[in-house]
Amino acid sequence: MAQNLGTKKEVIPSLIRSIDANEVVGFDDNLTKQCVLHIEIKDSEENILEDEISNIISIKPSTEPPVSTPRSENVPVDRYFDALEGPELDILRPSEEIVLPEDKQWPFLLRFPISSFGICLGVSSQAMMWKNLALTESTHFLHVSLNVNLILWCISVLLFALVASTYLLKIIFYFEAVRREYYHPIRVNFFFAPWIALLFLASGVPPTVTTSLPHFLWYVLMTPIFILELKIYGQWMLGGQRRLSKVANPSNHLSVVGNFVGALLGASMGLKEGPIFFFAVGLAHYTVLFVTLHQRLPTNETLPKELHPVFFLFVAAPSVASMAWAKINGSFDYGSRIAYFIAMFLYFSLAVRVNFFRGFKFSLAWWAYTFPMTGAAIATIRYTSEVPNIVTKFLSVSLSTIATLTVFGLLVTTILHAFVLRDLFPTDIAIAISDRKPKTVRKWFHRRASSSEKDIEHYLKYVTSNEKEVEVSVTAKDVENQIPLP
Amino acid sequence: MAQNLGTKKEVIPSLIRSIDANEVVGFDDNLTKQCVLHIEIKDSEENILEDEISNIISIKPSTEPPVSTPRSENVPVDRYFDALEGPELDILRPSEEIVLPEDKQWPFLLRFPISSFGICLGVSSQAMMWKNLALTESTHFLHVSLNVNLILWCISVLLFALVASTYLLKIIFYFEAVRREYYHPIRVNFFFAPWIALLFLASGVPPTVTTSLPHFLWYVLMTPIFILELKIYGQWMLGGQRRLSKVANPSNHLSVVGNFVGALLGASMGLKEGPIFFFAVGLAHYTVLFVTLHQRLPTNETLPKELHPVFFLFVAAPSVASMAWAKINGSFDYGSRIAYFIAMFLYFSLAVRVNFFRGFKFSLAWWAYTFPMTGAAIATIRYTSEVPNIVTKFLSVSLSTIATLTVFGLLVTTILHAFVLRDLFPTDIAIAISDRKPKTVRKWFHRRASSSEKDIEHYLKYVTSNEKEVEVSVTAKDVENQIPLP
Amino acid sequence: MAQNLGTKKEVIPSLIRSIDANEVVGFDDNLTKQCVLHIEIKDSEENILEDEISNIISIKPSTEPPVSTPRSENVPVDRYFDALEGPELDILRPSEEIVLPEDKQWPFLLRFPISSFGICLGVSSQAMMWKNLALTESTHFLHVSLNVNLILWCISVLLFALVASTYLLKIIFYFEAVRREYYHPIRVNFFFAPWIALLFLASGVPPTVTTSLPHFLWYVLMTPIFILELKIYGQWMLGGQRRLSKVANPSNHLSVVGNFVGALLGASMGLKEGPIFFFAVGLAHYTVLFVTLHQRLPTNETLPKELHPVFFLFVAAPSVASMAWAKINGSFDYGSRIAYFIAMFLYFSLAVRVNFFRGFKFSLAWWAYTFPMTGAAIATIRYTSEVPNIVTKFLSVSLSTIATLTVFGLLVTTILHAFVLRDLFPTDIAIAISDRKPKTVRKWFHRRASSSEKDIEHYLKYVTSNEKEVEVSVTAKDVENQIPLP
């Protein structure tokens, strides 16, 4: 092994950047135990990762015969379900191992998840809400200044620039990590977040900045959403690993709500056919999602068993849809009201259970769950213009207050986590799962216990036989996956 | 044991009223066999129950060490599925035992199920239909007197008062029994019945009694429906034991139809936003229910395998929805027609199969299945006003006739069961299931057969070890429940 | 056995025509092996079949005790799922046997499937498209002659006459084969095809032939569709073997699209209520189907795992629905646009994946998958009239071109298969499956291997015991079917 460590320096730096997970994993399965013994921990983040990867890679030309490691292009979706748990599918199951060292701090970019765009969603929707509060006649009695909108909008733009440029760096330097986020069945929905945030920014643009946006902007913003939808909805329809009966989760709402936000912006700009197109696509797939999520199929493994902030995403689509339809149609008619009242019922249905939301581990993704509240508040302001009375005005004010307080509370929590607890960006387990089932842990310890001294010898044997076990278990796995196990 | 029987008289009477099922069951598991030997059968219904409970309770301070009996607040929903079968989930499976003596007649209130409100639904909807027949222009040619409406309405009011006050007594004296009905996955839907019946009474109020109902009445009637919906729909969405992929059953229509009946009454009263709210909530959840019931997921254990009168509930929601939308909208437009025609198709689809409805055991719940027919008849009368021709007039008359004949036939059957067969209120097994899995019957007999004489000794041993088995089987059960077994 | 063969000539010819599958199968299970030895192969197709059936039937009065063969009226649906595979459920699983000789050519009529009506769908929809291209103002710039419509329409009529009369012969001479197609879970949907093709013919009738069709024609054409729907949708709702969670497959779209084609024709004729009726029925069941197909429940065994031309059926319903609604409503309003845009999204979603459509075995059913393309093209022409600009005109022309080219390509392929490869009508395995599970093949060979010489003796024993095994396995099967295995 010593000579392998010697070759460490020869590893080309580009290898460090793109973590070729398959390569790593292939050997990880066999040799991790030995490797771990040789890792020299250094302080620099980069170095640790470099070491880990170098170690693993440098072993490559060893005398060890290269056991058959089937190279799969992507981590199969079942691996995510097998290896992870929790409503955001980001907690490693006890039986699993990860390909990166868990006890060391990873490079910042590797710990910067796509869900960070949730912050942009939360703040930019607030900017839009305050614009509505200031400009809508029904809330004139509040005398809200347009400056609140202006300030929030500027903050949103800055935040977006910051988050987007950071994530861009991640794309450049750790493309494999981004790819793994994209294949993560929950995370993939967050790839809609940047574009929805931009749509909110465009909708919430302060009148002092501009009052008319160019049409091409809408087309530019809707293109990535359209492409992502072709991909995601196609996966639902055409089945395979990512079929809806398997991946349905409230976070899928993010993949639908973009249609309605886009339709709203487009119709506000004066476009006609485009917004209806997205409204129609959204409506069809929202129906599918609404029914599927309400059914809670036993195969929907990622649906949170308990109440969780993610459920507030239920409110997003119908509340934005009601506004979009009102804009398309020119009036807040029965269609808009039906959508609005569905949103209100869902909101209320969650609000009465809000005291169940306890003991959840804070995560950046929570930011994404605040924009539906803001959306509901904006829809209520819109509805109040239509039906102005004391009840609706009270509702407008309270929903806006709740939304603002929630965002503020989350801001405080985020700052607390960022600067006091210093754990805002924890190790992102979700992208570091091995793409193969690890050895069954129990069996392993049992063997170790029984044959205490001949560890390595036994271990190698074990791996060799295990290698076959993996093959078999993969096949068995496929069969199991068809049976909707929890 | 003798001294235990002696303590029987000390049991406070309140204990008899509230059957603390958990307590009972805990001991039932261990000692039923012995208890049964000591029960002195008396003629009075009250006494039998008293005896049973007293016996079980009085054993409490015996020398028997109190085996660990996990106190669960409610009977878990899985127990209902495990212990009961049939489309109304009211037949005990052969392997199960109940906590009350099956061979004795229980107190009347314990045998008075929530489904008795079905009678009110059936009769009050008839009152409403005859009001429509008398007042709608398209059926003027029938020269129906408003007196029919008046008489039926008065009967309905009396019936409702009777049923409601009886059930109120049940709530007061046997709250635990009511709670068990509420947790019963099918029965819970019947908790909507009293309020829907009241809505029908309000809609069918004879013009001679009043022509304008106060608005607050609507709000009063819709409040319990709204609260129940928050509960029921929330259970669908938020999952857990009562998720829709598990409990979906045609009787769920009762939980949806209230929205449309409420919307219809509200819109008739001149309200605007409230009716649209309930219409929207109804529409969204009706879509979910319609799709789920049509899919017949393998996990929907309670969906009747064969044709059953309960299927007529399919007709209720769309026929009432068509009228509600017509009232909200001011005209019987395309939306109303679409709902109406869906109702007609479903009605016809069931009608052509009506000869399959044979050999089913009559139950009071059947009354609830007549109001959809009446609803379809009323919707047809409404549609006939819109499209008056010979076909629609014929349809109006025939559907009204069928509905009236069905109600009349059911009335005769009910009277027959009440006064001739004297089995209108049979033992309500559904509320008396034990909240734990009983010992596996086969195993039991096998053991008894092999060791014929040392019964009690073996039995006690068996129970002790079984106690652990229960724990294990509960865990195993949880896993099994995830796999949709039949 | 010899005397049995002697009785062969006594078999009445009518028996040959109606293959009483149950009779055949009952004996097939026991005696096939022996029978096969005695079959004298003759050249005439008829004779082979005659021989096969005669042989089997003539054995009837043999000394063999008639083992209990439960006579079931129809082949149960589970048999189709167990015995067949592939997206069209027409490939025999390796473990299965069929009741007709696989290695001989069957009579032509037995090889003529109901899916042949797909050709009529493909060509008659083309006739309708060219009528629209010629008559719609937005495509006047193409200067399409009405003669194209006339020629295509005449070809369609001829084709329909040809296919229909051939199939009529099959109904007369091989009613059992037709019945087996009707019970085939995929094929049954093709029973809608003749009526939809007639609706297309009526819609596409050249103005030179007639400009006004009599109303009764619509009623005549819609009656069989209505009856089939009562049957099919009733099976979905009322469950049993053919419940939607089991049979859902893109070919179900054929059972829904008839409603919209009928509504379109009816509304074009000036009818009002009838078209809305079918539109409503179609809408309700399309929603169910759309959601179910998108969910890809693990119990939907027949859903193609990979991309397959059948997916183009997704485009049919919404594109025809948009035109139907426009006709009913009098204008291409928001409702029509929503349906149209959903169709476009689905079309595009499939088009971008079109390069995955490779390596599939051509079948006549493919013709049925071309009419959705034509439907989408017609809807686009209609939409272009509403929104005439360069993009929509380009879209009209390209979609029409694609549809025509596809039909032309399929025509060439069909001719190639018909006259060059001579395999246009291959052995139709789907109708010839045995209605009982065959002996487990693996077990069989194992036994043979171990007891090499006493084959026949063992075989007969095996069959006798297997006879019981079948009974058991049928029961076990029922349980298995509840569990959604792949």
Side-chain angles (χ1 to χ4, degrees), chain C residues 36-54:
Chain C
V36 170
L37 301 170
H38 296 275
I39 296 172
E40 296 165 58
I41 307 301
K42 291 175 190 172
D43 284 333
S44 140
E45 286 175 342
E46 293 279 330
N47 278 350
I48 291 164
L49 195 70
E50 193 183 340
D51 272 26
E52 176 66 12
I53 296 163
S54 316

Side-chain angles (χ1 to χ4, degrees), chain B residues 287 290-291 293-299 303-307 311 314 334-335 337-339 341-342 344-346 348-350 352-353 383 387 483-486, chain C residues 226 229-231 233-240 243-245 272-273 276-277 279-281 283-285 287-288 291-292 295 297 299 325 328-329 482-484:
Chain B
T287 308
F290 188 80
V291 173
L293 289 176
H294 269 81
Q295 286 183 333
R296 298 200 140 240
L297 300 169
T299 41
L303 260 172
K305 289 231 163 26
E306 302 298 323
L307 269 177
F311 276 107
F314 268 95
Y334 291 132
R337 271 163 215 226
I338 285 174
F341 287 138
I342 291 171
M344 280 298 108
F345 182 82
L346 293 171
F348 199 71
S349 178
L350 292 167
V352 294
R353 289 170 167 92
Y383 175 68
V387 186
I483 314 168
L485 282 170
Chain C
F226 180 68
E229 283 175 355
L230 279 181
K231 183 80 188 162
Y233 301 163
Q235 284 175 348
W236 295 359
M237 180 172 68
L238 299 169
R243 60 178 184 276
L244 197 58
S245 68
K272 193 121 191 91
E273 303 301 319
I276 303 177
F277 176 84
F279 190 88
V281 172
L283 186 68
H285 294 91
T287 307
V288 172
V291 173
T292 309
Q295 286 184 332
L297 300 170
T299 42
W325 186 248
I328 288 171
N329 200 31
Q482 304 297 97
I483 314 170

Side-chain angles (χ1 to χ4, degrees), chain A residues 409-425:
Chain A
L410 215 47
L411 184 71
V412 171
T413 317
T414 306
I415 290 171
L416 205 74
H417 277 274
F419 299 107
V420 182
L421 301 171
R422 308 185 71 86
D423 64 351
L424 187 59
F425 296 101

Side-chain angles (χ1 to χ4, degrees), chain C residues 79-98:
Chain C
R79 283 301 302 138
Y80 289 99
F81 288 118
D82 291 346
L84 301 167
E85 56 188 2
E88 280 157 28
L89 217 63
D90 58 356
I91 302 159
L92 199 73
R93 285 187 203 271
S95 62
E96 292 285 332
E97 292 162 7
I98 58 168

Side-chain angles (χ1 to χ4, degrees), chain C residues 167-450:
Chain C
Y167 203 78
L168 206 67
L169 287 177
K170 187 176 180 183
I171 293 174
I172 296 168
F173 292 109
Y174 299 101
F175 185 72
E176 175 62 28
V178 173
R179 214 160 63 102
R180 277 171 162 247
E181 285 200 277
Y182 179 74
Y183 286 112
H184 187 285
I186 305 290
R187 288 282 175 84
V188 65
N189 298 300
F190 283 89
F191 280 81
F192 284 94
W195 318 107
I196 300 173
L198 284 176
L199 289 172
F200 277 137
L201 281 180
S203 294
V205 63
T208 47
V209 175
T210 180
T211 50
S212 75
L213 293 160
H215 282 186
F216 82 88
L217 182 73
W218 186 79
Y219 290 103
V220 168
L221 291 179
M222 295 316 284
T223 306
I225 290 181
F226 180 68
I227 291 167
L228 276 169
E229 283 175 355
L230 279 181
K231 183 80 188 162
I232 305 287
Y233 301 163
Q235 284 175 348
W236 295 359
M237 180 172 68
L238 299 169
Q241 295 179 324
R242 282 150 217 281
R243 60 178 184 276
L244 197 58
S245 68
K246 199 156 191 185
V247 301
N249 179 282
S251 64
N252 292 124
H253 278 120
L254 283 172
S255 69
V256 167
V257 82
N259 291 302
F260 298 119
V261 182
L264 174 59
L265 178 65
S268 311
M269 281 175 168
L271 290 166
K272 193 121 191 91
E273 303 301 319
I276 303 177
F277 176 84
F278 281 100
F279 190 88
V281 172
L283 186 68
H285 294 91
Y286 180 64
T287 307
V288 172
L289 195 60
F290 189 80
V291 173
T292 309
L293 289 175
H294 269 80
Q295 286 184 332
R296 299 202 139 239
L297 300 170
T299 42
N300 286 153
E301 309 180 24
T302 61
L303 260 173
K305 290 231 164 26
E306 302 298 323
L307 268 177
H308 188 272
V310 75
F311 276 108
F312 272 94
L313 283 177
F314 268 94
V315 180
S319 51
V320 184
S322 79
M323 288 185 281
W325 186 248
K327 269 279 179 249
I328 288 171
N329 200 31
S331 79
F332 203 88
D333 69 346
Y334 292 132
S336 297
R337 273 165 213 225
I338 285 175
Y340 172 67
F341 287 138
I342 290 171
M344 280 300 107
F345 182 81
L346 294 171
Y347 196 156
F348 199 70
S349 178
L350 292 167
V352 293
R353 290 171 167 90
V354 87
N355 56 332
F356 290 109
F357 290 133
R358 278 194 196 143
F360 284 105
K361 212 178 122 260
F362 168 81
S363 101
L364 262 185
W366 286 34
W367 275 96
Y369 314 149
T370 65
F371 91 89
M373 291 184 180
T374 313
I378 305 173
T380 305
I381 296 165
R382 181 73 187 76
Y383 176 68
T384 305
S385 317
E386 213 65 29
V387 186
N389 62 38
I390 188 73
V391 177
T392 53
K393 278 179 185 171
F394 172 76
L395 207 63
S396 294
V397 176
S398 24
L399 291 188
S400 305
T401 313
I402 292 169
T404 308
L405 286 180
T406 307
V407 169
F408 188 75
L410 215 48
L411 184 71
V412 171
T413 316
T414 306
I415 290 170
L416 204 75
H417 277 274
F419 301 107
V420 182
L421 300 171
R422 308 185 72 86
D423 64 351
L424 187 59
F425 296 101
T427 305
D428 189 11
I429 304 289
I431 59 159
I433 56 162
S434 121
D435 66 351
R436 294 228 249 136
K437 214 177 188 169
K439 299 116 258 177
T440 341
V441 173
R442 223 182 324 160
K443 220 172 179 178
W444 170 273
F445 285 136
H446 179 70
R447 277 179 182 250
R448 284 180 65 106
S450 62

